[in-house]
Amino acid sequence: MEETKILIVDDDPDFTAVLKTVLEGESYVVDTAPGRAEAMEKIQADKPDLLLLDVMMATWSDGFEMARDIRKNPEYKGMPIIMLTGVEQRTGIGFKSTAGDPEWLPVDGFLDKPVEPQVLIAEVKKVLSGKP
Amino acid sequence: MEPVPEDIRLLNGAYWLTRLRWIAIICVPIGTYFCGSVLGIALREIPMYTVATLLFLYNVAVLVMLDRAARADREVSPRAVKRIIHLQICTDLILLTVLLHFSGGIENPLVFFFIFHMVIAGILLSPKESYLQATFAVLLFGLLVLLEHKQLLRHYCLTGFVPHCLQESMLYIFGTFLVFTTALYVAVYMANYIATRLKRAERAYKQANVMLEEKDRIKDEYVSRVTHDIKGHLATIQGCLAVAVDRMTGKLEDPEADLIHRAHTRSVKLTNFVRALLRLTQMRLSNKLEMADFSMGEALLNVTGAVQAKAADKSITLNCNIDSSVENVFGNQFSIEEMVTNLLLNAIKYTPANGTIDVRASSDENSVLVKISDTGIGIPKEEQAQVFDEFFRASNAKRAERDGTGLGLSIVKYIVERHGGQIQVESEEGHGTTFNLTLPRTA
């Protein structure tokens, strides 16, 4: 079976370590990037199968903007994205209760920080299986 | 109470004047009839009734003018209203002088009534304007007295009230006129003084209010920033512990595993608390909430579906009954779902096993009504008013469940109010709780 590559983009190295441990336990190949620039480099080089993107890095909207950039680029259009976000960031900025509103934020899933391991694995599996 | 803006204050003052004038319109004919026919005082009755009729007609005209000024492009112009007030006072002073002329001039104690207008001018107008009105009144009255004294104008003696015509006595005229003038200016001065002090106090109150609001906002920002930072670290701690707990399943008899398990449980509780606190302060801080039309029925089904498993864990029957009349609501669907979820999770938490929770939604012309009732422990009557207060937990709720943030219902109420809705609680201790929710269909 071909290995599934996941890229985690988050500026909190400890949190990234947690996600990495959980996902590696499920035999995924996990790479991490602490910021937008590094993430774009790794996306170009490795073409990951899934992106786990923190909503808030250098600025509160870094994650949002990055998700939109990726969707605009025809090369990565199909790459699934799961966004890590706090519930409080989801209102007031046009979020719909269900993920994947293409007009606003083209992501495939949301995870609320902190993430319980089972919830993370379930969401990753769900999004990967829904891949066209 | 919010301080009244200047334009509204003037408009209210102008209407107040018209209301006072109705009293004069009623009292002039009655007084004329009483003095003339009952007391037998020599009065020119026809001119008196004519003045009353004129007062009536002019009061109606003022009301029409005021209504027009208040309606014109919805913005009340303080200058237009002030002009109407000036017009009213001047006309009143002239009519009062005419009335005096036909009822004995300086002999008639009705001259005191000039003071009323001075007080009104002192309250509604600027000091300069009210002194001008006082001067106008002094001139009008002075002219009347002078003309009558010089017999350029006929003097109607108030026979039956005064022993003999007084307008011929120079001393009487001079004395009365002097007192009259002084009284008018002093009245204006006093009314101005009081009105200025009141306005100053009102302004100070307004400033204090703005300052308090600002302080409250700073506090919210502070809480928001602190809790946000705490939450970031907490998320990582909880994540680490969750992985450790996960890997140690089956080894819980180890004391180390037990300790880590406990730490994880507590971190989850702390996270829930911090999350609720952050949610509440951030909602208070953001003044915008994205609103759109969404199906209330669908939102309710989403939420009941999401908590169904939790209810089933306690063998609680969760019924959802949505009337076909329930249509779209204008609001933020995410917040509304969050709010109903909070109510349902509360219901599940405080309903003993094998209980029932009913969600009923119906609709009337303007609003959607949602009723969430459970067969739980209820809320004591005397504590019901406080359940929406931040950090408040009912005494029996604390006994039943040790953990709880006391913020869930505050968030619920906040979301409901942001949507222009209302929420009420009906409950009896030991006999379940019902939350009645009303949400307007349009904003």
Side-chain angles (χ1 to χ4, degrees):
Chain A
M1 200 184 92
E2 203 185 319
E3 56 187 19
T4 308
K5 287 183 276 185
I6 298 178
L7 179 64
I8 301 169
V9 189
D10 194 325
D11 61 349
D12 180 343
D14 297 327
F15 192 77
T16 315
V18 173
L19 296 181
K20 196 168 187 256
T21 313
V22 172
L23 291 170
E24 279 175 350
E26 294 293 308
S27 319
Y28 293 112
V29 176
V30 182
D31 200 357
T32 62
R36 223 167 132 179
E38 297 90 332
M40 288 316 284
E41 270 172 34
K42 288 199 171 164
I43 289 172
Q44 273 170 359
D46 302 334
K47 303 232 168 12
D49 300 285
L50 175 72
L51 204 60
L52 270 176
L53 188 56
D54 182 31
V55 70
M56 207 156 144
M57 288 178 289
T59 68
W60 73 274
S61 59
D62 243 17
F64 285 122
E65 281 161 19
M66 191 172 152
R68 281 199 213 134
D69 283 353
I70 290 169
R71 279 293 178 265
K72 269 188 224 149
N73 189 331
E75 216 178 313
Y76 317 120
K77 232 177 165 174
M79 187 192 299
I81 302 175
I82 295 177
M83 184 147 277
L84 294 162
T85 160
V87 106
E88 68 283 351
Q89 283 146 359
R90 243 183 270 184
T91 43
I93 38 177
F95 261 105
K96 295 280 156 49
S97 63
T98 45
D101 172 17
E103 276 172 30
W104 171 250
L105 190 64
V107 298
D108 304 270
F110 286 111
L111 281 172
D112 193 8
K113 266 187 175 183
V115 197
E116 288 295 312
Q118 300 86 342
V119 178
L120 171 70
I121 293 161
E123 187 69 20
V124 166
K125 280 192 177 145
K126 195 184 97 189
V127 169
L128 282 173
S129 66
K131 204 176 150 186
Chain B
M1 199 186 74
E2 277 285 299
V4 185
E6 182 68 6
D7 51 347
I8 302 298
R9 193 183 71 89
L10 278 174
L11 195 66
N12 288 344
Y15 276 114
W16 174 51
L17 260 174
T18 62
R19 280 196 301 276
L20 290 175
R21 195 167 298 112
W22 291 124
I23 301 174
I25 292 164
I26 295 165
C27 289
V28 168
I30 293 175
T32 306
Y33 175 79
F34 184 76
C35 293
S37 305
V38 180
L39 298 177
I41 297 167
L43 277 178
R44 315 296 296 178
E45 293 188 7
I46 303 295
M48 301 294 275
Y49 290 130
T50 312
V51 169
T53 315
L54 280 175
L55 262 177
F56 174 80
L57 291 175
Y58 130 75
N59 209 25
V60 172
V62 168
L63 277 174
V64 171
M65 277 196 285
L66 280 177
D67 282 345
R68 201 176 294 164
R71 216 178 303 148
D73 41 52
R74 292 188 183 268
E75 197 68 49
V76 185
S77 143
R79 281 179 61 186
V81 180
K82 227 169 191 183
R83 267 204 302 277
I84 298 175
I85 293 175
H86 273 297
L87 179 79
Q88 288 195 75
I89 295 176
C90 287
T91 317
D92 280 346
L93 294 177
I94 293 168
L95 285 177
L96 185 55
T97 313
V98 173
L99 204 72
L100 276 176
H101 168 62
F102 289 108
S103 58
I106 201 160
E107 290 157 10
N108 192 337
L110 216 61
V111 290
F112 289 124
F113 279 27
F114 276 101
I115 288 178
F116 297 156
H117 286 90
M118 297 307 108
V119 173
I120 289 167
I123 293 169
L124 294 179
L125 305 174
S126 71
K128 197 174 128 198
E129 289 165 330
S130 41
Y131 281 119
L132 268 174
Q133 288 289 2
T135 311
F136 182 60
V138 167
L139 286 176
L140 271 177
F141 183 65
L143 194 68
L144 175 75
V145 173
L146 189 71
L147 290 178
E148 286 189 7
H149 179 71
K150 296 282 176 204
Q151 290 178 351
L152 294 168
L153 203 65
R154 196 179 155 189
H155 175 71
Y156 301 100
C157 199
L158 209 54
T159 321
F161 184 71
V162 286
H164 55 86
C165 285
L166 293 169
Q167 108 283 3
E168 284 153 19
S169 155
M170 196 61 203
L171 189 64
Y172 176 78
I173 291 178
F174 192 72
T176 309
F177 185 70
L178 195 72
V179 172
F180 172 82
T181 308
T182 324
L184 252 52
Y185 283 111
V186 170
V188 166
Y189 168 75
M190 286 182 167
N192 262 324
Y193 180 76
I194 295 168
T196 313
R197 300 227 14 185
L198 277 177
K199 268 189 236 169
R200 209 174 294 158
E202 210 170 72
R203 227 183 349 249
Y205 169 83
K206 202 173 171 178
Q207 270 170 359
N209 214 24
V210 169
M211 244 166 61
L212 279 178
E213 270 172 20
E214 175 62 13
K215 277 198 174 155
D216 204 41
R217 201 187 55 78
I218 290 170
K219 181 213 77 187
D220 277 341
E221 256 174 20
Y222 177 82
V223 172
S224 165
R225 186 160 301 174
V226 171
T227 39
H228 188 269
D229 282 355
I230 293 176
K231 197 186 161 214
H233 297 299
L234 208 51
T236 304
I237 295 173
Q238 192 185 319
C240 295
L241 291 170
V243 175
V245 166
D246 228 37
R247 303 250 158 126
M248 286 194 283
T249 325
K251 292 192 258 169
L252 274 180
E253 61 279 6
D254 292 356
E256 291 86 355
D258 179 53
L259 289 176
I260 286 178
H261 191 72
R262 281 171 195 274
H264 177 243
T265 313
R266 289 304 272 268
S267 77
V268 170
K269 282 173 191 167
L270 187 53
T271 306
N272 288 339
F273 174 73
V274 166
R275 187 182 284 164
L277 192 57
L278 192 58
R279 179 81 180 107
L280 197 61
T281 42
Q282 293 209 333
M283 265 196 302
R284 261 209 298 255
L285 280 170
S286 83
N287 34 29
K288 59 172 183 166
L289 195 62
E290 299 278 336
M291 301 265 201
D293 261 326
F294 69 92
S295 159
M296 187 66 191
E298 207 176 283
L300 287 173
L301 286 176
N302 283 348
V303 173
T304 41
V307 301
Q308 194 75 52
K310 268 217 156 90
D313 284 348
K314 280 179 85 176
S315 309
I316 291 170
T317 317
L318 176 59
N319 300 316
C320 186
N321 199 321
I322 300 165
D323 197 275
S324 58
S325 66
V326 176
E327 285 171 11
N328 281 7
V329 161
F330 187 75
N332 183 290
Q333 184 174 357
F334 184 87
S335 300
I336 295 285
E337 287 187 6
E338 178 193 10
M339 183 251 316
V340 179
T341 306
N342 270 354
L343 287 172
L344 285 178
L345 289 180
N346 255 6
I348 294 168
K349 191 168 170 184
Y350 298 112
T351 298
N354 304 314
T356 310
I357 297 168
D358 280 308
V359 179
R360 281 173 192 281
S362 59
S363 198
D364 66 16
E365 211 172 304
N366 303 314
S367 38
V368 171
L369 312 155
V370 183
K371 210 181 174 83
I372 297 174
S373 31
D374 61 46
T375 56
I377 60 169
I379 305 161
K381 276 267 177 293
E382 62 279 8
E383 293 179 21
Q384 285 174 17
Q386 289 158 275
V387 286
F388 295 108
D389 292 355
E390 282 161 39
F391 304 110
F392 180 82
R393 294 187 68 211
S395 51
N396 59 337
K398 278 190 257 183
R399 280 197 300 274
E401 281 282 343
R402 216 181 62 140
D403 298 310
T405 60
L407 291 172
L409 286 179
S410 309
I411 294 175
V412 166
K413 192 172 165 89
Y414 197 82
I415 293 174
V416 172
E417 283 175 353
R418 268 308 252 291
H419 284 81
Q422 281 179 318
I423 186 160
Q424 268 128 17
V425 59
E426 276 170 42
S427 182
E428 202 181 315
E429 193 169 359
H431 292 92
T433 303
T434 300
F435 283 99
N436 289 308
L437 193 69
T438 317
L439 284 173
R441 290 165 78 154
T442 50

